[in-house]
Amino acid sequence: MNRSTLLPGLSGLAARLAGRLPDITTVRAPYQAAVLRIGLAAVCLAFLLREWPHRHVLYGNRSPLSYDLARILVEEEGSFTVLLWSDGQLWFETVYTLATAAAVAVLVGWRTRTMSVLLMVGMLSLENRNSLVGDGGDNVIRIMVIYLVLTRCAEVWSLDARRARRRPRDGKRLADGDGSGAGRGSWGAFDIPGLVLWALAPTPLLALSGRAPLGWALALWLLWAVLGVWYVADRWFPRHEARAVLDAAASMLHNAAMLVVAAQVCLIYATAGWYKIQGSRWQEGSALHYVLHLDYFAPWPSLSAFLASQTLLVLGLTYGTVIVQVAFPFTLAHRKLKNVLLAVMILEHLGISVVLGIPLLSLSMVVCDAVFLPTGLLVALGARCARLPLRARVPAPREADRDTERDADRAPATTTPG
Protein backbone atom coordinates (compact mmCIF):
# COMPACT_ATOMS: atom_id res chain seq x y z
CA MET A 1 0.00 0.00 0.00
CA ASN A 2 1.51 3.34 -1.07
CA ARG A 3 1.40 6.60 0.79
CA SER A 4 -1.29 8.14 -1.42
CA THR A 5 -3.84 5.48 -0.42
CA LEU A 6 -2.76 5.24 3.23
CA LEU A 7 -3.21 8.91 4.12
CA PRO A 8 -6.87 9.17 2.99
CA GLY A 9 -7.63 6.01 4.95
CA LEU A 10 -6.08 7.42 8.11
CA SER A 11 -7.88 10.71 7.58
CA GLY A 12 -11.21 8.93 7.28
CA LEU A 13 -10.52 6.91 10.42
CA ALA A 14 -9.60 10.08 12.32
CA ALA A 15 -12.78 11.76 11.10
CA ARG A 16 -14.90 8.83 12.26
CA LEU A 17 -13.21 8.81 15.67
CA ALA A 18 -13.72 12.57 15.98
CA GLY A 19 -17.39 12.09 15.15
CA ARG A 20 -17.74 9.49 17.90
CA LEU A 21 -15.91 11.60 20.49
CA PRO A 22 -19.04 13.36 21.82
CA ASP A 23 -20.61 9.96 22.50
CA ILE A 24 -17.57 8.88 24.51
CA THR A 25 -17.19 12.10 26.49
CA THR A 26 -20.88 12.35 27.46
CA VAL A 27 -22.13 10.80 30.68
CA ARG A 28 -24.01 7.63 29.79
CA ALA A 29 -26.61 5.89 31.97
CA PRO A 30 -26.81 8.61 34.66
CA TYR A 31 -30.07 7.20 36.04
CA GLN A 32 -28.67 3.67 36.20
CA ALA A 33 -25.62 5.03 38.03
CA ALA A 34 -27.90 6.83 40.49
CA VAL A 35 -29.81 3.60 41.11
CA LEU A 36 -26.51 1.82 41.72
CA ARG A 37 -25.47 4.53 44.20
CA ILE A 38 -28.77 4.58 46.09
CA GLY A 39 -29.19 0.82 46.12
CA LEU A 40 -25.62 0.00 47.08
CA ALA A 41 -25.57 2.62 49.84
CA ALA A 42 -28.89 1.33 51.16
CA VAL A 43 -27.57 -2.25 51.24
CA CYS A 44 -24.39 -1.14 53.02
CA LEU A 45 -26.39 0.88 55.53
CA ALA A 46 -28.77 -2.03 56.18
CA PHE A 47 -25.79 -4.34 56.65
CA LEU A 48 -24.04 -1.99 59.08
CA LEU A 49 -27.20 -1.38 61.12
CA ARG A 50 -28.08 -5.06 61.20
CA GLU A 51 -24.64 -6.03 62.49
CA TRP A 52 -24.42 -3.11 64.93
CA PRO A 53 -25.28 -5.19 68.05
CA HIS A 54 -22.75 -7.88 67.03
CA ARG A 55 -20.08 -5.71 65.44
CA HIS A 56 -17.42 -6.41 68.09
CA VAL A 57 -17.85 -10.17 67.76
CA LEU A 58 -17.77 -10.12 63.96
CA TYR A 59 -15.13 -7.51 63.21
CA GLY A 60 -13.94 -6.05 66.50
CA ASN A 61 -11.72 -6.99 69.41
CA ARG A 62 -14.01 -9.82 70.57
CA SER A 63 -13.95 -11.64 67.23
CA PRO A 64 -12.89 -15.32 67.23
CA LEU A 65 -10.47 -14.26 64.50
CA SER A 66 -8.04 -12.45 66.77
CA TYR A 67 -6.02 -9.40 65.82
CA ASP A 68 -2.86 -11.43 65.17
CA LEU A 69 -4.69 -14.07 63.11
CA ALA A 70 -6.46 -11.36 61.11
CA ARG A 71 -3.13 -9.71 60.34
CA ILE A 72 -1.73 -13.02 59.05
CA LEU A 73 -4.84 -13.62 56.92
CA VAL A 74 -4.76 -10.09 55.46
CA GLU A 75 -1.06 -10.42 54.60
CA GLU A 76 -1.62 -13.78 52.90
CA GLU A 77 -4.60 -12.50 50.89
CA GLY A 78 -2.99 -9.14 50.12
CA SER A 79 -6.21 -7.34 51.08
CA PHE A 80 -6.73 -3.87 52.51
CA THR A 81 -8.13 -2.85 55.89
CA VAL A 82 -7.48 0.05 58.22
CA LEU A 83 -8.74 -1.86 61.27
CA LEU A 84 -5.34 -3.47 61.67
CA TRP A 85 -3.73 -0.11 62.37
CA SER A 86 -4.82 -0.52 65.98
CA ASP A 87 -6.55 -3.12 68.13
CA GLY A 88 -8.23 -0.45 70.28
CA GLN A 89 -11.97 -0.22 70.67
CA LEU A 90 -12.01 3.53 69.99
CA TRP A 91 -10.41 3.08 66.56
CA PHE A 92 -12.88 0.32 65.66
CA GLU A 93 -15.87 2.41 66.73
CA THR A 94 -14.55 5.36 64.72
CA VAL A 95 -14.20 3.31 61.53
CA TYR A 96 -17.61 1.68 61.95
CA THR A 97 -19.35 4.99 62.65
CA LEU A 98 -17.67 6.75 59.73
CA ALA A 99 -18.65 3.91 57.41
CA THR A 100 -22.27 4.21 58.55
CA ALA A 101 -22.26 7.99 58.11
CA ALA A 102 -20.69 7.62 54.65
CA ALA A 103 -23.43 5.18 53.63
CA VAL A 104 -26.08 7.75 54.61
CA ALA A 105 -24.23 10.53 52.74
CA VAL A 106 -23.87 8.44 49.57
CA LEU A 107 -27.52 7.41 49.80
CA VAL A 108 -28.70 11.03 49.64
CA GLY A 109 -25.87 12.12 47.34
CA TRP A 110 -24.09 14.57 49.66
CA ARG A 111 -20.42 15.21 48.70
CA THR A 112 -20.60 11.98 46.77
CA ARG A 113 -17.07 12.05 45.38
CA THR A 114 -15.55 12.17 48.85
CA MET A 115 -18.13 10.06 50.65
CA SER A 116 -17.97 7.25 48.10
CA VAL A 117 -14.24 6.93 48.81
CA LEU A 118 -14.92 6.90 52.56
CA LEU A 119 -17.63 4.26 52.07
CA MET A 120 -15.23 2.13 50.02
CA VAL A 121 -12.51 2.34 52.68
CA GLY A 122 -14.97 1.59 55.50
CA MET A 123 -16.67 -1.40 53.88
CA LEU A 124 -13.41 -2.94 52.66
CA SER A 125 -11.85 -2.47 56.09
CA LEU A 126 -14.72 -4.16 57.91
CA GLU A 127 -15.22 -7.08 55.56
CA ASN A 128 -11.51 -7.74 55.07
CA ARG A 129 -10.99 -7.69 58.85
CA ASN A 130 -12.86 -11.01 58.97
CA SER A 131 -13.44 -12.38 55.50
CA LEU A 132 -14.53 -15.76 56.91
CA VAL A 133 -18.04 -14.50 57.67
CA GLY A 134 -20.59 -13.50 55.06
CA ASP A 135 -23.13 -15.00 52.70
CA GLY A 136 -21.65 -14.07 49.32
CA GLY A 137 -23.17 -10.62 49.26
CA ASP A 138 -20.03 -9.25 50.90
CA ASN A 139 -18.04 -10.21 47.80
CA VAL A 140 -20.45 -8.27 45.58
CA ILE A 141 -20.29 -5.24 47.88
CA ARG A 142 -16.49 -5.26 47.97
CA ILE A 143 -16.38 -5.16 44.19
CA MET A 144 -19.14 -2.63 43.61
CA VAL A 145 -17.99 -0.05 46.18
CA ILE A 146 -14.72 0.19 44.23
CA TYR A 147 -16.51 0.69 40.92
CA LEU A 148 -18.83 3.26 42.49
CA VAL A 149 -15.90 5.59 43.20
CA LEU A 150 -15.14 5.74 39.47
CA THR A 151 -18.66 6.71 38.40
CA ARG A 152 -20.44 10.05 38.25
CA CYS A 153 -23.33 8.63 40.19
CA ALA A 154 -24.61 11.93 41.61
CA GLU A 155 -25.66 13.55 38.33
CA VAL A 156 -29.34 12.99 39.18
CA TRP A 157 -31.37 12.24 42.30
CA SER A 158 -28.83 13.69 44.72
CA LEU A 159 -28.17 16.69 46.92
CA ASP A 160 -25.07 17.39 44.84
CA ALA A 161 -27.20 17.70 41.70
CA ARG A 162 -29.59 20.08 43.48
CA ARG A 163 -26.69 22.21 44.68
CA ALA A 164 -25.25 22.30 41.16
CA ARG A 165 -28.59 23.48 39.75
CA ARG A 166 -28.74 26.33 42.27
CA ARG A 167 -25.16 27.46 41.61
CA PRO A 168 -24.71 30.51 39.32
CA ARG A 169 -23.92 29.46 35.78
CA ASP A 170 -22.38 32.71 34.57
CA GLY A 171 -18.58 32.56 34.69
CA LYS A 172 -18.32 36.37 35.06
CA ARG A 173 -20.52 36.31 38.16
CA LEU A 174 -18.35 33.58 39.61
CA ALA A 175 -15.19 35.55 38.90
CA ASP A 176 -16.19 39.16 39.66
CA GLY A 177 -19.10 38.80 42.06
CA ASP A 178 -22.69 39.91 41.66
CA GLY A 179 -23.24 41.82 44.88
CA SER A 180 -24.61 38.79 46.70
CA GLY A 181 -21.41 37.65 48.38
CA ALA A 182 -20.40 35.20 45.65
CA GLY A 183 -17.33 36.97 44.32
CA ARG A 184 -13.77 35.77 43.98
CA GLY A 185 -12.73 36.95 47.42
CA SER A 186 -15.97 36.04 49.17
CA TRP A 187 -16.42 32.98 51.35
CA GLY A 188 -19.89 32.57 49.85
CA ALA A 189 -18.32 31.26 46.63
CA PHE A 190 -16.22 28.65 48.43
CA ASP A 191 -17.37 25.13 49.13
CA ILE A 192 -16.56 25.19 52.86
CA PRO A 193 -17.61 21.57 53.71
CA GLY A 194 -15.75 20.28 50.67
CA LEU A 195 -12.61 22.23 51.56
CA VAL A 196 -12.71 20.98 55.15
CA LEU A 197 -13.10 17.35 54.05
CA TRP A 198 -10.27 17.72 51.53
CA ALA A 199 -7.97 19.41 54.06
CA LEU A 200 -8.55 16.70 56.69
CA ALA A 201 -7.88 13.83 54.28
CA PRO A 202 -4.02 13.94 54.35
CA THR A 203 -3.91 12.97 58.04
CA PRO A 204 -5.25 9.41 57.55
CA LEU A 205 -3.52 9.17 54.18
CA LEU A 206 -0.14 9.80 55.76
CA ALA A 207 -0.80 7.10 58.32
CA LEU A 208 -2.02 4.76 55.57
CA SER A 209 1.04 5.25 53.38
CA GLY A 210 3.30 3.21 55.64
CA ARG A 211 0.83 0.45 56.53
CA ALA A 212 -1.37 -0.24 53.51
CA PRO A 213 -0.28 -1.95 50.29
CA LEU A 214 1.56 0.44 47.99
CA GLY A 215 -1.11 0.23 45.29
CA TRP A 216 -3.91 1.26 47.65
CA ALA A 217 -1.87 4.12 49.10
CA LEU A 218 -1.05 5.49 45.65
CA ALA A 219 -4.66 5.14 44.49
CA LEU A 220 -6.04 7.07 47.48
CA TRP A 221 -3.40 9.82 47.18
CA LEU A 222 -4.26 10.10 43.48
CA LEU A 223 -7.96 10.47 44.28
CA TRP A 224 -7.15 13.18 46.82
CA ALA A 225 -5.04 15.10 44.28
CA VAL A 226 -7.67 14.79 41.56
CA LEU A 227 -10.37 16.16 43.84
CA GLY A 228 -8.18 19.16 44.62
CA VAL A 229 -7.44 19.85 40.95
CA TRP A 230 -11.13 19.45 40.13
CA TYR A 231 -12.15 22.02 42.74
CA VAL A 232 -9.53 24.54 41.59
CA ALA A 233 -10.61 24.21 37.97
CA ASP A 234 -14.28 24.41 38.86
CA ARG A 235 -13.81 27.44 41.13
CA TRP A 236 -11.36 29.63 39.22
CA PHE A 237 -11.47 28.33 35.63
CA PRO A 238 -15.10 27.34 34.95
CA ARG A 239 -14.91 28.32 31.26
CA HIS A 240 -11.31 27.22 30.56
CA GLU A 241 -10.44 24.33 28.24
CA ALA A 242 -8.77 22.52 31.16
CA ARG A 243 -12.14 22.36 32.91
CA ALA A 244 -13.70 20.84 29.81
CA VAL A 245 -10.88 18.30 29.57
CA LEU A 246 -11.40 17.26 33.19
CA ASP A 247 -15.13 16.90 32.61
CA ALA A 248 -14.57 14.80 29.48
CA ALA A 249 -12.04 12.58 31.27
CA ALA A 250 -14.43 12.04 34.18
CA SER A 251 -17.23 11.16 31.78
CA MET A 252 -15.07 8.64 29.94
CA LEU A 253 -14.03 7.06 33.25
CA HIS A 254 -17.68 6.92 34.30
CA ASN A 255 -18.71 5.23 31.04
CA ALA A 256 -15.89 2.71 31.36
CA ALA A 257 -16.83 1.98 34.99
CA MET A 258 -20.50 1.42 34.12
CA LEU A 259 -19.45 -0.91 31.31
CA VAL A 260 -17.27 -2.85 33.75
CA VAL A 261 -20.16 -3.06 36.22
CA ALA A 262 -22.39 -4.53 33.51
CA ALA A 263 -19.65 -6.96 32.49
CA GLN A 264 -19.12 -7.96 36.13
CA VAL A 265 -22.83 -8.75 36.57
CA CYS A 266 -22.83 -10.84 33.39
CA LEU A 267 -19.71 -12.66 34.60
CA ILE A 268 -21.37 -13.43 37.94
CA TYR A 269 -24.43 -14.93 36.28
CA ALA A 270 -22.50 -16.78 33.59
CA THR A 271 -20.09 -18.30 36.11
CA ALA A 272 -22.90 -19.31 38.49
CA GLY A 273 -24.96 -20.80 35.67
CA TRP A 274 -22.17 -22.83 34.07
CA TYR A 275 -20.98 -24.17 37.43
CA LYS A 276 -24.53 -25.27 38.20
CA ILE A 277 -24.72 -27.14 34.90
CA GLN A 278 -21.76 -29.27 35.96
CA GLY A 279 -23.44 -30.37 39.22
CA SER A 280 -25.35 -33.65 39.24
CA ARG A 281 -28.06 -32.29 41.54
CA TRP A 282 -28.74 -29.41 39.15
CA GLN A 283 -28.72 -31.75 36.17
CA GLU A 284 -31.39 -33.97 37.70
CA GLY A 285 -33.41 -30.99 38.96
CA SER A 286 -33.25 -31.77 42.69
CA ALA A 287 -30.76 -29.13 43.90
CA LEU A 288 -33.40 -26.79 45.28
CA HIS A 289 -35.07 -29.71 47.09
CA TYR A 290 -31.90 -30.35 49.10
CA VAL A 291 -31.35 -26.64 49.77
CA LEU A 292 -34.84 -26.29 51.24
CA HIS A 293 -34.02 -29.06 53.76
CA LEU A 294 -30.97 -27.26 55.17
CA ASP A 295 -31.71 -25.84 58.61
CA TYR A 296 -29.20 -23.04 58.09
CA PHE A 297 -31.25 -21.75 55.12
CA ALA A 298 -34.69 -22.21 56.67
CA PRO A 299 -35.80 -19.06 58.50
CA TRP A 300 -39.40 -20.16 57.84
CA PRO A 301 -39.42 -23.97 58.30
CA SER A 302 -43.09 -24.35 57.40
CA LEU A 303 -42.65 -22.42 54.16
CA SER A 304 -39.51 -24.37 53.24
CA ALA A 305 -41.26 -27.69 53.94
CA PHE A 306 -44.27 -26.68 51.83
CA LEU A 307 -42.12 -25.65 48.86
CA ALA A 308 -39.99 -28.80 49.13
CA SER A 309 -43.15 -30.94 48.91
CA GLN A 310 -44.10 -29.39 45.54
CA THR A 311 -42.09 -31.63 43.20
CA LEU A 312 -43.01 -29.99 39.90
CA LEU A 313 -42.46 -26.49 41.32
CA VAL A 314 -39.02 -27.45 42.66
CA LEU A 315 -38.10 -29.04 39.33
CA GLY A 316 -39.20 -25.97 37.37
CA LEU A 317 -37.41 -23.52 39.66
CA THR A 318 -34.20 -25.55 39.57
CA TYR A 319 -34.02 -25.75 35.80
CA GLY A 320 -35.38 -22.22 35.40
CA THR A 321 -32.61 -20.78 37.60
CA VAL A 322 -29.92 -22.38 35.46
CA ILE A 323 -31.55 -21.33 32.19
CA VAL A 324 -32.02 -17.71 33.26
CA GLN A 325 -28.48 -17.32 34.60
CA VAL A 326 -26.84 -18.83 31.54
CA ALA A 327 -29.08 -17.03 29.04
CA PHE A 328 -29.03 -13.54 30.54
CA PRO A 329 -25.67 -12.33 29.09
CA PHE A 330 -26.81 -13.44 25.63
CA THR A 331 -30.10 -11.51 25.79
CA LEU A 332 -28.64 -8.03 26.33
CA ALA A 333 -28.87 -7.27 22.62
CA HIS A 334 -32.63 -7.97 22.64
CA ARG A 335 -34.31 -5.29 24.75
CA LYS A 336 -37.69 -6.91 25.35
CA LEU A 337 -36.29 -10.35 26.14
CA LYS A 338 -33.68 -8.79 28.43
CA ASN A 339 -36.35 -6.89 30.35
CA VAL A 340 -38.39 -10.05 30.83
CA LEU A 341 -35.41 -12.01 32.17
CA LEU A 342 -34.44 -9.05 34.31
CA ALA A 343 -37.85 -9.01 35.99
CA VAL A 344 -37.66 -12.78 36.51
CA MET A 345 -34.21 -12.54 38.12
CA ILE A 346 -35.24 -9.69 40.43
CA LEU A 347 -38.26 -11.69 41.59
CA GLU A 348 -36.02 -14.73 42.02
CA HIS A 349 -33.59 -12.83 44.25
CA LEU A 350 -36.42 -11.38 46.32
CA GLY A 351 -37.79 -14.89 46.77
CA ILE A 352 -34.37 -16.19 47.80
CA SER A 353 -34.01 -13.43 50.39
CA VAL A 354 -37.30 -14.47 52.02
CA VAL A 355 -37.26 -18.26 51.64
CA LEU A 356 -33.55 -18.93 52.25
CA GLY A 357 -32.88 -16.01 54.58
CA ILE A 358 -29.87 -14.48 52.79
CA PRO A 359 -31.05 -10.89 52.21
CA LEU A 360 -27.60 -9.30 51.82
CA LEU A 361 -26.66 -11.40 48.79
CA SER A 362 -30.12 -11.12 47.25
CA LEU A 363 -30.44 -7.35 47.66
CA SER A 364 -26.89 -6.83 46.37
CA MET A 365 -27.75 -8.71 43.20
CA VAL A 366 -31.05 -6.83 42.84
CA VAL A 367 -29.06 -3.57 42.91
CA CYS A 368 -26.70 -4.94 40.28
CA ASP A 369 -29.64 -6.06 38.14
CA ALA A 370 -31.11 -2.56 38.35
CA VAL A 371 -28.18 -1.28 36.27
CA PHE A 372 -29.89 -2.88 33.25
CA LEU A 373 -33.30 -1.27 33.83
CA PRO A 374 -34.61 0.87 30.94
CA THR A 375 -33.98 4.60 31.22
CA GLY A 376 -37.61 5.43 30.43
CA LEU A 377 -38.80 3.34 33.37
CA LEU A 378 -36.32 4.98 35.75
CA VAL A 379 -37.24 8.49 34.58
CA ALA A 380 -40.95 7.72 35.05
CA LEU A 381 -40.32 6.32 38.54
CA GLY A 382 -38.24 9.36 39.44
CA ALA A 383 -40.97 11.72 38.27
CA ARG A 384 -43.58 9.75 40.20
CA CYS A 385 -41.48 9.88 43.39
CA ALA A 386 -40.84 13.61 42.91
CA ARG A 387 -44.59 14.28 42.87
CA LEU A 388 -45.22 12.46 46.15
CA PRO A 389 -43.94 15.23 48.49
CA LEU A 390 -45.93 17.80 46.49
CA ARG A 391 -49.12 15.80 46.94
CA ALA A 392 -48.41 15.45 50.64
CA ARG A 393 -48.10 19.24 51.04
CA VAL A 394 -51.38 20.02 49.23
CA PRO A 395 -54.22 19.81 51.82
CA ALA A 396 -57.22 17.72 50.90
CA PRO A 397 -60.46 19.74 50.47
CA ARG A 398 -62.75 19.65 53.47
CA GLU A 399 -66.29 18.36 53.23
CA ALA A 400 -67.73 21.85 53.85
CA ASP A 401 -65.65 23.22 50.99
CA ARG A 402 -66.94 20.48 48.71
CA ASP A 403 -70.55 21.35 49.64
CA THR A 404 -69.92 25.04 48.95
CA GLU A 405 -68.40 24.27 45.55
CA ARG A 406 -71.29 21.94 44.73
CA ASP A 407 -73.89 24.63 45.64
CA ALA A 408 -72.03 27.19 43.58
CA ASP A 409 -72.10 24.90 40.56
CA ARG A 410 -75.85 24.37 40.91
CA ALA A 411 -76.70 28.09 41.36
CA PRO A 412 -78.19 29.87 38.32
CA ALA A 413 -75.82 32.00 36.32
CA THR A 414 -76.13 35.76 36.77
CA THR A 415 -74.79 38.64 34.73
CA THR A 416 -73.37 41.86 36.01
CA PRO A 417 -74.70 45.02 34.30
CA GLY A 418 -72.00 46.76 32.37
Side-chain angles (χ1 to χ4, degrees):
M1 182 180 296
N2 55 28
R3 186 175 180 180
S4 60
T5 58
L6 180 61
L7 290 179
L10 293 177
S11 300
L13 178 60
R16 287 194 295 271
L17 291 177
R20 299 292 297 178
L21 190 60
D23 296 334
I24 302 174
T25 57
T26 302
V27 175
R28 296 295 178 183
Y31 293 95
Q32 286 80 359
V35 169
L36 178 65
R37 169 181 58 82
I38 296 172
L40 187 60
V43 171
C44 292
L45 181 61
F47 166 75
L48 293 170
L49 295 179
R50 185 191 69 175
E51 306 298 353
W52 182 270
H54 315 289
R55 61 190 184 281
H56 297 289
V57 177
L58 293 174
Y59 308 108
N61 52 2
R62 295 203 302 266
S63 173
L65 189 68
S66 65
Y67 179 82
D68 295 330
L69 291 177
R71 181 178 294 277
I72 295 174
L73 182 61
V74 167
E75 291 177 354
E76 290 181 352
E77 294 180 347
S79 55
F80 165 75
T81 176
V82 300
L83 288 178
L84 296 181
W85 293 3
S86 173
D87 194 24
Q89 183 175 354
L90 178 61
W91 175 240
F92 172 78
E93 295 290 354
T94 301
V95 173
Y96 204 101
T97 304
L98 288 178
T100 305
V104 175
V106 173
L107 179 65
V108 299
W110 183 79
R111 314 291 169 181
T112 312
R113 291 193 184 100
T114 302
M115 290 301 163
S116 61
V117 177
L118 186 60
L119 178 64
M120 176 189 69
V121 173
M123 294 304 299
L124 290 180
S125 298
L126 289 169
E127 294 185 351
N128 290 335
R129 167 62 175 82
N130 188 1
S131 58
L132 303 180
V133 296
D135 55 9
D138 54 331
N139 294 326
V140 178
I141 290 177
R142 274 184 288 205
I143 295 172
M144 293 302 168
V145 291
I146 298 175
Y147 295 154
L148 188 69
V149 175
L150 305 177
T151 64
R152 304 185 71 172
C153 55
E155 294 291 309
V156 296
W157 300 342
S158 67
L159 297 180
D160 290 341
R162 188 180 68 173
R163 186 175 67 253
R165 289 194 300 267
R166 294 179 176 180
R167 188 176 57 186
R169 295 294 182 181
D170 191 350
K172 186 175 185 301
R173 290 175 61 193
L174 287 173
D176 301 333
D178 57 357
S180 61
R184 178 185 294 274
S186 172
W187 283 107
F190 286 88
D191 181 11
I192 303 300
L195 285 174
V196 172
L197 291 173
W198 187 82
L200 294 177
T203 301
L205 288 179
L206 288 173
L208 180 145
S209 298
R211 305 183 184 185
L214 180 61
W216 278 103
L218 291 177
L220 293 176
W221 274 111
L222 179 62
L223 287 172
W224 178 79
V226 168
L227 290 178
V229 172
W230 188 281
Y231 175 79
V232 170
D234 196 37
R235 169 64 181 87
W236 280 283
F237 310 103
R239 299 298 181 89
H240 197 271
E241 292 182 358
R243 176 66 176 80
V245 171
L246 284 176
D247 193 69
S251 299
M252 288 189 291
L253 184 62
H254 162 87
N255 295 336
M258 291 301 295
L259 182 61
V260 172
V261 168
Q264 183 71 54
V265 176
C266 292
L267 182 62
I268 291 174
Y269 282 123
T271 304
W274 286 107
Y275 269 107
K276 286 182 175 67
I277 289 178
Q278 302 175 31
S280 59
R281 295 290 182 264
W282 291 96
Q283 292 177 4
E284 65 187 21
S286 61
L288 184 58
H289 173 81
Y290 290 100
V291 172
L292 292 173
H293 283 85
L294 296 176
D295 294 335
Y296 186 77
F297 295 106
W300 317 97
S302 301
L303 178 60
S304 299
F306 171 76
L307 293 176
S309 63
Q310 308 298 317
T311 305
L312 292 180
L313 179 61
V314 170
L315 183 67
L317 291 176
T318 302
Y319 284 135
T321 299
V322 177
I323 292 173
V324 169
Q325 290 182 349
V326 174
F328 178 73
F330 300 99
T331 61
L332 296 181
H334 195 285
R335 181 177 302 178
K336 293 183 178 180
L337 184 58
K338 181 262 296 183
N339 292 337
V340 172
L341 288 184
L342 194 60
V344 171
M345 289 194 304
I346 290 176
L347 292 176
E348 177 188 2
H349 287 303
L350 294 178
I352 290 174
S353 67
V354 174
V355 176
L356 301 184
I358 45 178
L360 182 60
L361 173 61
S362 300
L363 295 179
S364 300
M365 291 309 303
V366 169
V367 172
C368 295
D369 292 342
V371 175
F372 297 95
L373 289 175
T375 302
L377 175 63
L378 296 178
V379 172
L381 289 176
R384 179 72 59 88
C385 294
R387 288 195 296 266
L388 292 178
L390 182 61
R391 292 179 180 177
R393 288 195 298 265
V394 177
R398 295 177 299 178
E399 190 66 28
D401 296 337
R402 294 195 187 101
D403 295 340
T404 302
E405 293 176 359
R406 191 182 304 112
D407 295 340
D409 293 337
R410 294 176 178 175
T414 59
T415 57
T416 302

